Amino acid sequence: MAKHTLIYFDVPGRAQTTRHLFSLGGIEFEDKRVGGESWMALKPDTPLKQLPVLHIDERVICQTSAIERYVAKLIGANGSNDAESAVIDMIHTSLSDMGSLVIPYFFGEVSKDEAKKAELKKSLVEEKFPVFLDLFTRKLEANGGDGFIVGDKVSLADVAFANFSGYLKQLDTEGVLAGKYPKLYALAGRVAALPAIKAFDEKHAKK
């Protein structure tokens, strides 16, 4: 088995789905967390001058989606056939799109302007995010509604959504989306309750 070293900051962010996937697969990995001076020293040697990066022995992989898909395939969480894999990729890519839409709310100039934040929040909660969440709900319901998005076991799609749901909860403090999409929020809860993920989160919970 190759040696895996995941490098990211000491926050969930863009690395948590990968951490959870490694944990689900029972694959040992070095969870290297950097910040401040250690990141500044490391940054020049990273492919795109950003994190996360994953070292696979001597090979270095960057880009969050590429890393997550690699680990998902490694642990068998990318579908049992090509059709399932395509649905998983569709959900995974959609979550990346949603991430790009919500980033300005938490970071950058918009995050410093309460009026602009309120306008963006309204747009995301009432218009943009429901388009994606309707799709996710249809796929979940087509697979029974109370299990996982694809097949009979947890996949990259489920883990990635569960982690993204944290941003939804921070954005939608009134619970509008939770009320409209209870099955998706229940899915996030099922993923968080999986023994391997629960154990990882408890081990790394902030004191």
Side-chain angles (χ1 to χ4, degrees):
M1 174 68 71
K3 178 182 178 182
H4 295 92
T5 301
L6 179 66
I7 305 175
Y8 193 63
F9 308 108
D10 190 18
V11 294
R14 294 178 179 270
Q16 200 73 343
T17 293
T18 300
R19 292 167 178 153
H20 283 163
L21 290 169
F22 272 128
S23 299
L24 277 173
I27 294 178
E28 184 177 346
F29 73 106
E30 181 181 356
D31 186 9
K32 186 174 181 179
R33 304 187 181 208
V34 300
E37 292 182 2
S38 59
W39 164 231
M40 289 298 101
L42 175 66
K43 187 174 181 178
D45 295 324
T46 58
L48 292 176
K49 313 299 183 263
Q50 63 187 30
L51 296 177
V53 296
L54 177 66
H55 289 250
I56 309 169
D57 289 332
E58 301 303 317
R59 182 172 295 169
V60 181
I61 306 297
C62 64
Q63 294 288 27
T64 304
S65 292
I67 294 170
E68 291 172 351
R69 285 174 173 147
Y70 164 79
V71 180
K73 291 176 183 177
L74 188 67
I75 70 168
N78 198 50
S80 60
N81 54 54
D82 289 344
E84 287 188 356
S85 295
V87 173
I88 291 167
D89 282 347
M90 176 181 70
I91 301 296
H92 190 230
T93 302
S94 296
L95 287 166
S96 180
D97 290 345
M98 293 175 74
S100 297
L101 291 172
V102 79
I103 281 175
Y105 182 84
F106 295 108
F107 308 101
E109 293 303 315
V110 171
S111 67
K112 302 173 185 177
D113 186 315
E114 292 302 321
K116 290 181 178 179
K117 280 184 69 177
E119 182 180 355
L120 176 58
K121 175 179 177 177
K122 179 179 174 63
S123 173
L124 293 176
V125 171
E126 296 182 5
E127 300 173 20
K128 294 182 179 178
F129 280 177
V131 175
F132 294 98
L133 298 176
D134 285 344
L135 171 63
F136 300 170
T137 298
R138 290 196 299 272
K139 293 301 178 184
L140 179 62
E141 289 179 340
N143 197 41
D146 58 357
F148 300 111
I149 293 174
V150 171
D152 58 1
K153 65 178 183 178
V154 66
S155 75
L156 169 60
D158 305 300
V159 179
F161 175 76
N163 279 303
F164 189 81
S165 70
Y167 292 108
L168 295 179
K169 293 171 185 176
Q170 290 179 57
L171 171 74
D172 179 28
T173 52
E174 296 81 10
V176 173
L177 295 176
K180 188 175 180 181
Y181 301 100
K183 290 184 178 180
L184 289 179
Y185 279 71
L187 167 65
R190 286 194 295 277
V191 172
L194 292 170
I197 289 180
K198 183 178 180 181
F200 178 89
D201 288 345
E202 289 177 349
K203 180 179 179 181
H204 295 279
K206 297 291 185 181
K207 302 298 184 181

